C-alpha cells in the first residue's frame, strides 16, 4: 500500500481506526495476536546443545574420534581417553566463545528497546514499541525514536533524522499532505519510519506497517537472502585438514604394508600405523586455532570491538578494500561551526564535537573575540531551541544538530544557555518553515531594549535585509555588498560547509509584531556561520596507515557529492586521479560495467542500499577482500555480502549488527585499522604455530617411518607421541598465538586471498626442520639402542627427550620468517614460560616413578643430557645460521 499517496481520512478508513480515539485495548490485543509482534524477525538461533555438538562436525575431529575407537579396540585405553579429552576441550572452547559473542550482542540490543506514546480507548499511554499494531495512533516529539512505520497526520515543526535508513545525515522536515505515489523513500515527507529519530518538533501519526512489513523489515529481507561468505582461514584450514588426512592415511597404509612385508605381525603393524596417524594429525591444531582466535577476540573487545564470528578477525588481515560509511564513522556525526564571517572578517573556530571548548582564529592566529563576533554568536544561540547536555564526560545536543552547532559555537565564546536566559527574554517566536526557510524571535534584554533576531538560508534572508553590518557599523546594503555576501557563501559552500545567515532589527518598546512578513523585513545582515560534520581527528592517520598497508579506503554515503568529496579531501583519501560517483550515475551501470571503473572511484555519494550491494559485488569480482562498515539498516545487505561486515555499536541498528561479523563499540574508523592490524598478526601467528606443529609432527612421522624402513623397534610409543602433541606442541604453540606483531605488519600489502597456508617458503621450512628433527631423534635412539640393545625403554626415553627438546628450541625459530636471531626471545614471555613448563613436564614424566610405567620412560643420567641437548640444537641452529649469514650479507 502506498500510504504516502493517500489522504488522511483514506488512511484512517483503510486501517479501521479513529483518529481522536485510537484502537480499543481489546482490538489492539487481537491484532497483536493475529499479526505478531512489531519486531524484525531473526534467524532462529540453535540451542546450546546443538551448538555444542556442532563443534564435533569438523572432518579432522571425526577422523580423530575414529582413531580413538581403534585405539580403544586395540586396548590402548590411555591413548583413547587422552584423545577424547583433547576433542572435548576443543569443543568447549569453541562453544564458550560462540555463546559469549552472542551474549555480548544481545546486551547491545537491549540498549535500544524504545517505548511509544499510543492513543487507546481515547487515552494516551506508553507501551513497548514491540506491541504496536497497524491502526494505532502514536505521538512523538524531539528525542523520540519512531517505533513503527507511520503516516503523519499532524506535524508541528517536525524534523526526523533518517540516516539509519537513507544514509542522509541532515534531518528531514515532515508534513501531512498526500504525495505522488512514485517518490523514493527519502522523499516521503509525510511518513515516519521505524528506527528513525525525531530531532525537532512534534507529530502524531497512524501506524501503517509493523515488523517485517516496515521499510526496515523489507531491507532485512535483503539481508536474509544475501549469501554468507566463507573466510580465507576457514578455507585454508579445510585445505590443510584434507592434506593431513591424506598424508596420515597414506603413511599408515605404507607402514602396515612395509611391516607385514618384513614379516612383522599384522596386529603390531596396525598399532604402529595408528600411532603414525595420531602423529600425522596435529590434534592440537583446531583447539589452538580456536584459542588464538578467542584471545584475539578478547584483545579486540579491549580495543572497542565485539567479534561475532571467530574467523572474521583473521579475515580482516587480508582485507584489500574498506568500504566505509561517512557519517559517524569517518566523521563525528556532530554538526560543528568551523567558520564565521562577520564585519568582513572570516574567523575560523577550533574544537570539534559538542564540547563547548575552542578558540577563535583570524588569519591563522588566535584573537580575542571582538564585539561583532560576540553579537553573531549570541544571536545564533538566541534564535534557537537546542541545548547542550552532559552525560558523564560526553556532551550531547538536545534538539536539531544544526541549531546545536550554533549553541556550541556561542558557548565557546562564553554565551551559555544559562547565561543567555538571565540576560534575555524571548517575547515571541515565528517558527521555521520550509517556505520561508528562516526562524525569527523577538527578544528583550535586561535593559528593556527590544530587537528582532532572524536566522535562515542566506539566499532567502538576504532578500529581507536592507542594511549590512560592515566595518563596525550598519550600512545601506548595495549590490556590491550583496555580491560580497554571495561570494562568501560560495567560498564556504566549496568547502562543503552548510551556511546559516543571521540578521537583526531594533524594536521600540511599543512596537508590536504579529506577522512574520512584517517582522522579517528591513533587517540588518550581520554575517554567516559555516558548519560541517567534521572528520574524526584520528581517522586521517588511520587511512594513511591503511594506505601504507596496501588497503584502499572507499567512502560510501547517502550524503551530498560536494560534502562527501570535501571530507574525502580533508582525510587525504583521494589520489590526484581519484573519482567521485553519485547514485544517479551508479544506477545506470551494471555490476560488470561498474567493475571496469570501480578501481578509480574513491567516493560514492547519494547511494541507496542496492547501490552499496552493487559496489561490494563489483569490488569482489575484481578480486578484492572487502570490509564493509556501516550503521544503518540501509548498510545491512552490503555488510552481509561483504567478506567481512562491520557494524556500529553506538548508532548501529539491530539489523546491521545482526548482519555483521564485527561490531565497533566506538563507531570509529580508527578501530577498523586496529582490527586489521590484529587480524594480520593473528594470521601470521597461526602460520607460526602451523609451522611449529607440522615441523614437529613431520619429525615424529619420519623417525617412526625410518625406523620401520630400517626394521628397527619403535623409537616412540603411542602415548609418548600423544604426550608430545598435547603438551609440548600445545603450550608453546598457544604461546606463539600471543606473539606481538612484527614491526612491518602494517607496512606490507595484504596477502592474496588465494595464498596457500604453505606460501612464502613455509612448506620448505616445515619439511627441512621436520626432517632434521626426525633425524636427530633417530640418531639419539640408535646411539643408545646400540649401546644398550637389551633396554628398549631406555633408548625410547632418550629419543623422547631429544624430540621434545628439539621442538622446544625450534619454537623460537618459528617467531620470524628470517632467522632465530632476528627477534628477542624475551619479547614473548608467554612463550618462555610455556617452554619452561613443557621442560618441567618432560622431567616429571621421566623422573617421577608413578608416571614412568604409563609413559614408558626411565630416569636418565646427566651425561645423556649432553647428547640430547647437542643433537636437539642442530635442527634450529644449522639452518638458522646460514639464513642469518645470508640475511646480513
Amino acid at each position: 500500500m502506498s500510504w504516502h499517496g493517500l489522504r488522511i481520512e483514506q488512511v484512517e478508513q483503510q486501517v479501521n481506526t479513529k483518529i481522536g480515539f485510537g484502537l480499543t485495548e481489546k482490538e489492539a490485543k487481537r491484532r497483536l495476536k493475529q499479526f505478531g509482534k512489531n519486531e524484525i524477525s531473526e534467524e532462529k538461533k540453535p540451542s546450546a546443545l546443538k551448538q555444542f555438538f556442532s563443534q564435533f562436525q569438523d572432518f579432522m575431529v571425526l577422523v580423530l574420534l575414529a582413531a580413538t575407537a581403534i585405539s580403544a579396540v586395540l586396548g590402548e585405553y590411555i591413548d583413547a581417553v587422552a584423545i577424547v579429552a583433547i576433542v572435548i576441550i576443543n569443543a568447549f572452547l569453541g562453544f564458550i566463545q560462540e555463546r559469549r559473542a552472542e551474549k555480548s550482542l544481545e546486551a547491545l540490543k537491549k540498549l535500544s528497546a524504545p517505548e511509544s506514546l499510543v492513543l487507546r480507548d481515547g487515552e494516551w499511554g506508553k507501551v513497548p514499541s514491540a506491541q504496536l499494531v497497524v491502526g494505532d495512533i502514536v505521538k512523538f516529539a524531539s528525542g523520540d525514536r519512531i517505533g513503527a512505520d507511520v503516516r503523519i497526520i499532524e506535524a508541528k515543526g517536525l524534523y526526523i533524522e533518517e540516516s539509519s535508513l537513507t544514509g542522509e545525515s541532515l534531518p528531514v522536515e515532515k508534513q501531512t499532505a498526500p504525495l505522488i505515489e512514485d517518490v523514493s523513500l527519502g522523499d516521503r515527507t509525510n511518513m515516519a519510519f521505524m528506527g528513525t529519530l525525531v530531532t525537532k518538533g512534534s507529530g502524531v501519526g497512524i501506524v501503517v506497517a509493523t515488523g517485517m512489513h516496515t521499510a526496515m523489515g523489507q531491507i532485512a529481507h535483503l539481508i536474509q537472502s544475501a549469501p554468507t561468505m566463507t573466510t580465507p582461514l576457514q578455507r585454508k584450514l579445510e585445505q590443510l585438514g584434507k592434506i593431513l588426512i591424506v598424508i596420515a592415511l597414506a603413511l599408515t597404509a605404507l607402514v602396515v604394508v612395509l611391516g607385514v612385508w618384513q614379516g612383522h605381525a599384522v596386529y603390531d603393524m596396525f598399532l604402529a600405523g595408528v600411532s603414525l596417524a595420531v602423529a600425522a594429525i596435529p590434534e592440537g591444531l583446531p583447539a589452538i586455532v580456536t584459542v588464538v582466535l578467542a584471545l584475539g577476540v578478547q584483545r579486540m573487545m579491549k580495543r572497542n570491538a565485539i567479534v561475532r564470528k571467530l574467523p572474521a578477525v583473521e579475515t580482516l588481515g587480508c582485507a584489500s578494500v574498506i568500504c566505509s560509511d561517512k557519517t559517524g564513522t569517518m566523521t563525528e556525526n556532530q554538526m560543528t561551526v568551523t567558520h564565521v564571517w562577520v564585519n568582513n572578517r572570516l574567523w575560523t573556530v577550533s574544537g570539534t564535537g559538542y564540547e563547548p571548548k575552542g578558540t577563535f582564529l583570524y588569519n591563522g592566529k588566535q584573537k580575542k573575540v571582538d564585539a561583532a563576533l560576540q553579537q553573531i554568536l549570541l544571536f545564533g544561540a538566541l534564535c534557537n531551541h537546542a541545548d547542550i547536555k552532559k552525560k558523564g564526560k560526553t556532551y550531547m545536543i538536545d534538539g536539531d544538530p544544526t541549531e546545536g552547532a550554533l549553541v556550541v559555537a556561542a558557548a565557546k565564546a562564553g554565551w551559555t544557555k544559562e547565561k543567555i536566559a538571565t540576560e534575555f527574554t524571548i517575547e515571541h517566536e515565528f517558527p521555521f518553515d520550509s517556505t520561508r526557510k528562516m526562524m525569527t524571535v523577538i527578544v528583550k534584554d535586561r535593559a528593556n531594549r527590544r530587537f528582532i533576531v532572524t536566522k535562515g538560508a542566506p539566499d532567502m534572508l538576504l532578500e529581507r535585509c536592507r542594511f549590512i553590518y560592515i566595518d563596525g557599523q550598519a550600512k545601506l546594503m548595495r549590490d556590491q555588498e550583496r555580491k560580497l555576501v554571495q561570494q562568501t557563501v560560495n567560498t564556504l559552500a566549496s568547502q562543503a560547509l552548510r551556511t546559516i545567515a543571521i540578521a537583526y532589527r531594533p524594536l521600540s518598546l511599543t512596537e508590536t509584531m504579529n506577522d512574520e512578513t512584517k517582522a522579517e523585513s528591513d533587517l540588518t545582515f550581520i554575517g554567516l556561520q559555516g558548519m560541517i560534520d567534521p572528520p574524526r581527528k584520528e581517522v586521517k592517520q588511520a587511512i594513511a596507515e591503511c594506505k601504507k598497508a596496501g588497503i584502499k579506503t572507499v567512502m560510501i554515503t547517502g550524503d551530498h557529492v560536494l560534502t562527501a568529496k570535501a571530507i574525502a579531501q580533508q582525510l587525504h583519501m583521494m589520489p590526484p586521479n581519484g573519482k567521485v560517483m553519485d547514485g544517479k550515475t551508479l544506477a545506470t551501470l551494471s555490476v560488470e560495467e561498474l567493475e571496469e571503473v570501480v578501481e578509480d572511484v574513491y567516493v560514492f555519494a547519494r547511494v541507496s542500499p542496492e547501490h552499496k550491494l552493487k559496489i561490494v559485488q563489483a569490488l569482489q569480482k575484481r578480486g578484492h577482500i572487502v570490509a564493509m562498515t556501516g550503521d544503518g539498516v540501509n548498510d545491512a545487505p552490503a555488510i552481509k555480502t561483504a567478506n567481512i561486515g562491520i557494524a556500529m555499536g553506538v548508532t548501529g541498528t539491530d539489523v546491521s549488527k545482526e548482519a555483521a561479523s564485527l561490531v565497533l563499540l566506538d563507531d570509529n574508523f580508527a578501530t577498523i585499522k586496529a582490527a586489521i592490524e590484529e587480524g594480520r598478526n593473528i594470521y601470521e601467528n597461526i602460520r607460526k604455530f602451523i609451522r611449529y606443529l607440522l615441523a614437529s609432527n613431520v619429525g615424529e612421522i619420519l623417525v617412526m617411518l625410518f625406523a620401520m624402513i630400517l626394521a628397527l623397534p619403535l623409537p616412540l610409543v603411542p602415548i609418548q607421541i600423544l604426550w608430545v602433541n598435547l603438551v609440548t606442541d600445545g603450550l608453546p604453540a598457544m604461546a606463539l598465538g600471543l606473539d606481538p606483531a612484527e614491526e612491518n605488519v602494517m607496512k606490507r600489502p595484504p596477502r592474496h586471498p588465494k595464498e596457500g597456508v604453505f606460501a612464502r617458503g613455509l612448506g620448505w621450512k616445515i619439511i627441512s626442520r621436520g626432517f632434521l628433527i626426525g633425524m636427530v631423534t633417530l640418531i639419539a635412539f640408535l646411539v643408545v639402542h646400540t649401546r644398550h640393545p637389551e633396554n628398549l625403554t631406555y633408548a625410547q626415553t632418550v629419543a623422547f627427550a631429544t624430540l621434545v627438546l628439539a621442538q622446544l628450541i625450534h619454537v623460537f625459530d618459528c617467531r620470524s620468517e628470517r632467522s632465530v636471531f632476528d627477534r628477542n626471545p624475551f619479547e614473548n614471555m608467554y612463550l618462555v614460560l610455556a617452554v619452561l613448563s613443557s621442560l618441567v613436564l618432560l622431567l616429571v614424566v621421566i623422573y617421577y616413578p608413578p608416571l614412568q610405567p604409563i609413559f614408558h620412560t626411565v630416569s636418565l643420567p646427566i651425561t645423556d643430557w649432553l647428547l640430547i641437548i647437542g643433537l636437539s640444537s642442530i635442527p634450529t641452529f644449522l639452518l638458522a645460521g646460514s639464513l642469518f649469514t645470508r640475511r646480513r650479507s
Side-chain angles (χ1 to χ4, degrees):
M1 180 71 71
S2 298
W3 298 104
H4 57 277
L6 301 180
R7 298 192 307 278
I8 291 171
E9 56 271 21
Q10 289 176 306
V11 177
E12 183 183 26
Q13 188 179 356
Q14 286 283 345
V15 299
N16 194 18
T17 191
K18 292 179 182 177
I19 286 175
F21 186 79
L23 298 174
T24 63
E25 198 66 50
K26 184 179 177 183
E27 174 62 15
K29 284 179 180 175
R30 187 192 70 77
R31 293 188 186 189
L32 187 65
K33 190 176 180 181
Q34 182 180 353
F35 299 108
K37 284 190 173 183
N38 174 36
E39 294 173 334
I40 301 297
S41 66
E42 302 172 20
E43 292 177 12
K44 192 176 178 183
K45 290 190 175 79
S47 66
L49 197 63
K50 189 175 179 182
Q51 203 167 2
F52 176 71
F53 282 112
S54 71
Q55 308 298 320
F56 297 95
Q57 292 173 358
D58 184 82
F59 189 47
M60 285 178 69
V61 172
L62 292 174
V63 172
L64 203 54
L65 290 173
T68 307
I70 294 167
S71 295
V73 168
L74 296 175
E76 297 294 327
Y77 299 115
I78 294 174
D79 286 10
V81 170
I83 296 172
V84 168
I86 291 164
V87 171
I88 291 173
I89 290 167
N90 176 42
F92 269 110
L93 282 169
F95 169 76
I96 289 165
Q97 271 306 319
E98 283 183 25
R99 299 300 283 186
R100 187 181 293 170
E102 288 299 333
K103 282 180 182 176
S104 300
L105 273 154
E106 282 167 18
L108 275 179
K109 285 179 68 177
K110 286 175 186 174
L111 296 176
S112 55
E115 291 184 318
S116 294
L117 190 60
V118 183
L119 181 66
R120 287 183 182 169
D121 292 319
E123 292 186 2
W124 291 99
K126 284 194 172 183
V127 301
S129 293
Q131 293 179 16
L132 289 179
V133 296
V134 171
D136 267 331
I137 309 297
V138 291
K139 187 185 284 186
F140 33 85
S142 179
D144 291 342
R145 198 166 285 280
I146 305 295
D149 282 7
V150 172
R151 171 65 164 87
I152 298 167
I153 59 174
E154 185 183 309
K156 293 179 180 175
L158 179 63
Y159 281 78
I160 297 179
E161 193 253 299
E162 297 177 342
S163 64
S164 66
L165 199 62
T166 64
E168 172 58 68
S169 57
L170 292 175
V172 178
E173 186 185 10
K174 297 293 182 178
Q175 48 87 34
T176 60
L179 305 165
I180 55 172
E181 292 193 7
D182 61 348
V183 293
S184 65
L185 196 71
D187 295 322
R188 294 178 190 173
T189 54
N190 59 6
M191 296 287 294
F193 300 104
M194 177 192 244
T196 58
L197 185 70
V198 179
T199 60
K200 187 178 177 183
S202 62
V204 178
I206 302 173
V207 174
V208 293
T210 60
M212 294 300 285
H213 298 289
T214 60
M216 188 182 281
Q218 287 164 16
I219 292 179
H221 282 299
L222 273 177
I223 299 164
Q224 289 165 8
S225 61
T228 302
M229 305 292 291
T230 57
T231 72
L233 181 64
Q234 287 170 323
R235 294 194 289 272
K236 300 299 184 304
L237 289 181
E238 188 180 340
Q239 168 199 351
L240 179 60
K242 287 175 181 174
I243 291 169
L244 296 177
I245 298 305
V246 170
I247 291 171
L249 296 177
L251 287 172
T252 302
L254 178 62
V255 169
V256 172
V257 170
L258 271 175
V260 172
W261 180 64
Q262 289 176 352
H264 290 281
V266 174
Y267 174 83
D268 291 340
M269 286 304 96
F270 192 73
L271 182 60
V274 170
S275 301
L276 268 184
V278 171
I281 301 170
E283 54 280 332
L285 182 58
I288 292 166
V289 169
T290 305
V291 170
V292 169
L293 289 172
L295 292 170
V297 167
Q298 300 304 320
R299 287 197 297 272
M300 289 308 301
M301 285 186 76
K302 289 176 184 175
R303 299 179 88 167
N304 292 318
I306 290 178
V307 178
R308 290 195 69 207
K309 300 162 190 172
L310 285 181
V313 183
E314 176 273 336
T315 314
L316 275 167
C318 57
S320 55
V321 174
I322 302 172
C323 294
S324 176
D325 192 31
K326 176 184 72 69
T327 306
T329 310
M330 292 182 163
T331 64
E332 299 277 359
N333 198 18
Q334 297 177 344
M335 290 298 285
T336 307
V337 171
T338 58
H339 292 76
V340 180
W341 183 79
V342 62
N343 197 20
N344 205 15
R345 283 184 170 191
L346 184 61
W347 295 77
T348 54
V349 188
S350 72
T352 58
Y354 293 143
E355 186 176 1
K357 287 183 181 178
T359 55
F360 296 85
L361 298 93
Y362 179 64
N363 284 338
K365 294 179 181 177
Q366 187 176 336
K367 298 282 186 181
K368 187 180 177 183
V369 178
D370 64 22
L373 184 56
Q374 285 274 6
Q375 188 179 44
I376 191 172
L377 295 170
L378 167 64
F379 285 175
L382 268 173
C383 190
N384 203 308
H385 288 295
D387 198 2
I388 307 169
K389 302 286 183 188
K390 190 177 182 184
K391 190 175 182 181
K393 293 182 179 180
T394 307
Y395 290 88
M396 297 176 293
I397 288 297
D398 181 10
D400 179 79
T402 301
E403 291 197 331
L406 298 174
V407 170
V408 172
K412 287 175 181 177
W415 287 111
T416 62
K417 274 282 184 177
E418 293 76 15
K419 183 179 178 182
I420 291 169
T422 61
E423 299 277 337
F424 301 93
T425 305
I426 306 295
E427 291 185 342
H428 190 70
E429 177 188 325
F430 299 106
F432 180 92
D433 70 44
S434 56
T435 307
R436 289 163 39 244
K437 292 187 179 177
M438 61 185 77
M439 170 187 175
T440 297
V441 290
I442 297 175
V443 184
K444 184 167 73 174
D445 66 13
R446 291 175 72 178
N448 285 329
R449 290 176 297 194
R450 297 171 73 233
F451 48 92
I452 293 166
V453 178
T454 303
K455 78 169 193 298
D459 54 338
M460 301 295 281
L461 194 57
L462 263 177
E463 293 175 7
R464 309 293 182 94
C465 293
R466 190 178 169 195
F467 305 96
I468 182 169
Y469 186 85
I470 201 161
D471 295 332
Q473 56 185 331
K475 295 181 178 178
L476 191 68
M477 187 181 281
R478 299 164 299 177
D479 288 344
Q480 184 181 340
E481 282 78 26
R482 290 184 190 278
K483 283 178 184 175
L484 179 62
V485 172
Q486 195 57 57
Q487 249 176 8
T488 308
V489 169
N490 293 341
T491 301
L492 296 176
S494 69
Q495 299 172 47
L497 295 174
R498 187 181 184 201
T499 50
I500 300 293
I502 294 174
Y504 83 110
R505 174 155 67 93
L507 278 181
S508 68
L509 286 172
T510 56
E511 207 171 350
T512 57
M513 289 287 165
N514 298 319
D515 176 63
E516 65 255 24
T517 307
K518 187 180 177 185
E520 293 164 355
S521 60
D522 293 335
L523 298 170
T524 299
F525 188 90
I526 300 175
L528 302 161
Q529 294 198 45
M531 61 187 69
I532 196 170
D533 178 11
R536 289 176 179 263
K537 55 180 178 292
E538 64 275 18
V539 170
K540 185 175 177 181
Q541 177 66 23
I543 288 173
E545 288 183 30
C546 285
K547 194 174 181 181
K548 279 183 190 172
I551 302 163
K552 177 184 177 183
T553 305
V554 177
M555 182 191 291
I556 304 180
T557 178
D559 224 331
H560 292 280
V561 175
L562 261 180
T563 307
K565 187 177 179 181
I567 294 292
Q569 287 171 336
Q570 286 181 39
L571 293 171
H572 293 178
M573 270 178 59
M574 295 174 64
N577 62 337
K579 293 179 181 175
V580 179
M581 186 179 287
D582 62 15
K584 194 180 287 184
T585 307
L586 190 57
T588 63
L589 303 177
S590 65
V591 174
E592 291 71 26
E593 289 169 330
L594 179 59
E595 192 186 336
E596 292 176 13
V597 297
V598 74
E599 295 284 6
D600 298 324
V601 181
Y602 287 78
V603 176
F604 292 92
R606 303 301 277 174
V607 294
S608 71
E610 293 78 15
H611 292 154
K612 295 185 180 191
L613 267 176
K614 190 188 285 187
I615 295 162
V616 170
Q617 288 165 348
L619 286 165
Q620 286 174 334
K621 286 195 173 190
R622 295 284 297 183
H624 288 290
I625 295 291
V626 182
M628 171 70 194
T629 77
D631 56 0
V633 177
N634 63 322
D635 299 318
I639 283 174
K640 187 172 181 186
T641 305
N643 300 86
I644 179 157
I646 307 167
M648 302 298 131
V650 180
T651 59
T653 59
D654 288 345
V655 178
S656 65
K657 289 172 195 170
E658 286 298 323
S661 305
L662 193 71
V663 179
L664 303 185
L665 295 179
D666 59 357
D667 292 10
N668 196 334
F669 184 90
T671 304
I672 302 164
K673 191 274 300 181
I676 288 173
E677 187 174 354
E678 192 68 55
R680 286 189 175 192
N681 190 42
I682 283 172
Y683 183 77
E684 290 307 313
N685 286 351
I686 287 171
R687 273 173 53 90
K688 288 173 191 176
F689 67 69
I690 284 175
R691 171 182 168 183
Y692 173 65
L693 284 177
L694 296 191
S696 301
N697 286 3
V698 165
E700 293 162 29
I701 292 164
L702 292 180
V703 73
M704 301 286 280
L705 183 59
F706 291 155
M708 288 295 97
I709 292 170
L710 297 172
L712 295 170
L714 287 177
L716 300 165
V717 294
I719 190 64
Q720 289 173 342
I721 293 168
L722 197 65
W723 188 93
V724 171
N725 288 344
L726 178 61
V727 180
T728 311
D729 288 0
L731 287 173
M734 204 173 292
L736 276 177
L738 294 168
D739 214 30
E742 294 190 61
E743 289 179 3
N744 65 343
V745 72
M746 286 297 282
K747 293 176 183 174
R748 56 183 183 228
R751 70 180 188 279
H752 195 278
K754 292 183 181 177
E755 178 184 290
V757 174
F758 302 111
R760 290 182 268 151
L762 188 64
W764 164 247
K765 290 188 180 87
I766 289 167
I767 293 166
S768 59
R769 303 311 194 278
F771 176 80
L772 287 174
I773 288 170
M775 287 303 297
V776 297
T777 304
L778 190 62
I779 290 167
F781 175 77
L782 281 169
V783 168
V784 178
H785 184 59
T786 304
R787 286 197 318 226
H788 304 279
E790 77 292 345
N791 194 345
L792 179 60
T793 305
Y794 180 23
Q796 286 174 333
T797 304
V798 171
F800 175 50
T802 304
L803 177 68
V804 170
L805 202 58
Q807 291 183 12
L808 293 180
I809 295 171
H810 171 243
V811 74
F812 291 100
D813 191 25
C814 295
R815 294 188 62 227
S816 172
E817 290 193 352
R818 292 174 292 194
S819 166
V820 70
F821 302 109
D822 197 52
R823 300 189 73 184
N824 180 353
F826 296 102
E827 279 180 345
N828 187 346
M829 286 307 297
Y830 295 106
L831 184 59
V832 173
L833 292 172
V835 168
L836 290 174
S837 301
S838 295
L839 277 173
V840 169
L841 290 170
L842 172 65
L843 296 174
V844 168
V845 297
I846 290 175
Y847 291 103
Y848 186 52
L851 292 178
Q852 287 176 339
I854 296 172
F855 288 94
H856 304 272
T857 58
V858 294
S859 298
L860 298 175
I862 192 72
T863 51
D864 285 340
W865 283 103
L866 297 174
L867 173 70
I868 291 166
I869 292 168
L871 287 172
S872 59
S873 301
I874 290 171
T876 294
F877 293 103
L878 180 68
L879 291 178
S882 63
L883 283 175
F884 178 75
T885 306
R886 192 184 327 150
R887 186 172 67 85
R888 295 292 182 191
S889 60

